[in-house]
Amino acid sequence: MYLTKEEERTLNGEDGETLQKAMEILVALGDIYGADSLIPVKSAQIAGVSYKTIGGAGLEWISDLDGKVKVPSILNPAGMDMQRWRDMGIEPDFAEKQVEVIKAYESLGIRSMCTCTPYYLEGFSATYGDHLAWSESSAVSYANSVIGARTNREGGPSALSAALVGKTANYGYHLDENRVPTVSVTVECELTGSDYGALGYLAGKEVGNRVPIFYMASTPSSDNLKALGAAMAASGAVALYHVEDITPEAQKVGFANPEERIVIERSQIDEVYEEVIGGTDDLECDIAAVGCPHCSADELEDIARLLEGKGIEKELWVCTSREVAEKNAELVKRIEQSGAKVLCDTCMVVSPATEGHNCMMVNSGKALAYVPGMCKVAAKIGSLEECINKVGGDN
């Protein structure tokens, strides 16, 4: 892989040990995947934030780094709401370690906004063709597919390395030839709301890590596309997909219909709603959680409307980024009047608080795929209305 003289100096340790380590990671990835050079990135989104997932070893590794990021950088969700962790039932020892993790990242110049939807943040937007180094699976999918930006599914260390160096290796989804669809998915039935998450849950299992193009009867919104991509990234390893006449590259570039074709029927989607993943079919859900990926302002509006006049009898978590919550304080107030909790900085997948429950109802194919394995809690998918009805009653 070609390196400039400046990059070679960094690799040789002339800019310090931290940057040397970062460059070594980027060069190793470039060599493995056949990159020709490093390319500048516009921003980085870094995974490995929840103390639940990185533990003491991860915290020690981050704390030993010394430097400042060269591009705007934010974090993946943490293991708790950084302000309301007591309301989640988080133990003080865990909270103390989680705060240390965030402070370690802040010392590197990383913005302590913990979210899987960085594209909603002011001053952090990506545009068509931008090269990024994002690591959270649903954020990667949204950036590549809905925005038309370019990022590989970075690991935490490689995204952090790219942030510190300001560059990433030029391979994978940064290259035109790897963004061409290799399998088509036809969905002729009408879809609404959580159907897109259920569809993604199914499609991800069949597509794996390939690039699909969808032919749909319905016209999905950006929130629908977010749910579709997040579920495929979780049940499979899809980092880029296209939707005919909808997503930017499908419109701008135009793709031939691949030879391999998958058809998903309404009956298959309905079957996803009937399953309890990680538990028996008669297991009763004792909590509902929405906002995986983090809720948009439009989704908060829908939740507030559906909760009008209702009181929550079981737990209902609504996860979103702190910035979106603060910009929509009136919606948050309306939601919490019901007894629901609007949680920022975290989500049900990466928080140890989830582990205290038996079965979680979600409206997300991503959460359906992750919660049983990562939290050891059974999960069932339902529509947003079903999630709210499961835990609510009339005031």
Side-chain angles (χ1 to χ4, degrees), residues 109-171:
I110 298 167
R111 183 179 170 192
S112 57
M113 184 64 70
C114 304
T115 182
C116 52
T117 54
Y119 38 87
Y120 292 150
L121 302 182
E122 191 172 335
F124 203 81
S125 60
T127 56
Y128 186 87
D130 285 344
H131 292 279
L132 314 171
W134 289 10
S135 58
E136 199 279 326
S137 60
S138 72
V140 167
S141 174
Y142 194 95
N144 277 325
S145 312
V146 184
I147 298 172
R150 299 183 171 215
T151 178
N152 291 314
R153 187 168 169 172
E154 301 284 358
S158 65
L160 180 54
S161 297
L164 289 164
V165 173
K167 299 178 181 181
T168 194
N170 188 30
Y171 71 94

Side-chain angles (χ1 to χ4, degrees), residues 84 87 287-290 300 303-304 306-308 310-319 331-343 384 387-388 391-393 395:
R84 297 181 58 191
D87 293 343
I287 182 173
V290 299
L300 291 180
I303 296 164
L306 290 168
L307 282 170
E308 205 75 49
K310 292 184 180 291
I312 298 304
E313 297 173 352
K314 300 178 184 178
E315 285 276 287
L316 172 59
W317 294 349
V318 178
C319 299
L331 291 177
V332 170
K333 181 179 178 181
R334 286 169 55 194
I335 291 169
E336 295 199 321
Q337 282 174 343
S338 70
K341 295 175 182 175
V342 177
L343 302 175
L384 177 60
C387 286
I388 289 173
V391 297
N395 276 337

Side-chain angles (χ1 to χ4, degrees), residues 28-338:
L29 284 171
D31 287 343
I32 291 168
Y33 293 106
D36 57 359
S37 64
L38 298 178
I39 53 172
V41 294
K42 182 178 180 181
S43 64
Q45 190 250 4
I46 299 156
V49 180
S50 172
Y51 187 71
K52 172 188 169 181
T53 56
I54 68 169
L59 173 57
E60 182 179 358
W61 183 78
I62 300 162
S63 299
D64 286 343
L65 299 177
D66 180 25
K68 296 293 181 184
V69 296
K70 290 187 170 61
V71 295
S73 304
I74 60 108
L75 299 172
N76 208 37
M80 64 187 196
D81 186 305
M82 298 302 294
Q83 296 179 12
R84 297 181 58 191
W85 54 271
R86 291 179 184 84
D87 293 343
M88 296 181 69
I90 297 292
E91 293 294 330
D93 288 348
F94 181 92
E96 181 181 349
K97 293 297 184 182
Q98 185 63 77
V99 170
E100 288 182 34
V101 172
I102 300 301
K103 286 183 176 178
Y105 278 121
E106 286 178 331
S107 72
L108 299 172
I110 298 167
R111 183 179 170 192
S112 57
M113 184 64 70
C114 304
T115 182
C116 52
T117 54
Y119 38 87
Y120 292 150
L121 302 182
E122 191 172 335
F124 203 81
S125 60
T127 56
Y128 186 87
D130 285 344
H131 292 279
L132 314 171
W134 289 10
S135 58
E136 199 279 326
S137 60
S138 72
V140 167
S141 174
Y142 194 95
N144 277 325
S145 312
V146 184
I147 298 172
R150 299 183 171 215
T151 178
N152 291 314
R153 187 168 169 172
E154 301 284 358
S158 65
L160 180 54
S161 297
L164 289 164
V165 173
K167 299 178 181 181
T168 194
N170 188 30
Y171 71 94
Y173 295 116
H174 293 285
L175 304 175
D176 290 344
E177 57 263 33
N178 296 322
R179 300 179 68 86
V180 177
T182 56
V183 57
S184 73
V185 181
T186 299
V187 187
E188 294 180 348
C189 60
E190 291 293 326
L191 303 174
T192 59
S194 58
D195 289 344
Y196 288 91
L199 169 62
Y201 181 80
L202 291 169
K205 291 183 175 184
E206 294 206 43
V207 173
N209 64 354
R210 292 175 293 170
V211 178
I213 183 166
F214 283 81
Y215 297 92
M216 292 186 178
S218 300
T219 302
S221 67
S222 59
D223 282 328
N224 297 149
L225 294 173
K226 177 180 71 172
L228 172 65
M232 286 194 291
S235 67
V238 177
L240 165 65
Y241 67 93
H242 307 285
V243 179
E244 180 73 356
D245 296 328
I246 299 293
T247 54
E249 279 171 283
Q251 295 183 62
K252 293 174 182 287
V253 178
F255 298 111
N257 195 346
E259 289 186 10
E260 183 177 350
R261 300 176 185 181
I262 297 168
V263 177
I264 294 181
E265 306 282 355
R266 179 74 237 183
S267 59
Q268 294 172 270
I269 294 172
D270 290 340
E271 286 174 6
V272 177
Y273 286 105
E274 296 170 6
E275 292 184 82
V276 176
I277 309 300
T280 58
D281 289 346
D282 60 350
L283 191 60
E284 185 69 20
C285 292
D286 57 342
I287 182 173
V290 299
C292 181
H294 278 169
C295 287
S296 65
D298 286 345
E299 289 170 317
L300 291 180
E301 175 68 52
D302 288 341
I303 296 164
R305 174 177 51 80
L306 290 168
L307 282 170
E308 205 75 49
K310 292 184 180 291
I312 298 304
E313 297 173 352
K314 300 178 184 178
E315 285 276 287
L316 172 59
W317 294 349
V318 178
C319 299
T320 189
S321 71
R322 188 162 300 282
E323 183 173 303
V324 169
E326 289 175 350
K327 286 183 175 179
N328 296 276
E330 187 57 36
L331 291 177
V332 170
K333 181 179 178 181
R334 286 169 55 194
I335 291 169
E336 295 199 321
Q337 282 174 343
S338 70

Side-chain angles (χ1 to χ4, degrees), residues 347-370:
C347 85
M348 69 292 290
V349 172
V350 297
S351 176
T354 299
E355 296 162 12
H357 295 276
N358 296 317
C359 182
M360 175 175 281
M361 177 165 270
V362 298
N363 67 336
S364 156
K366 174 187 174 183
L368 184 69
Y370 279 153

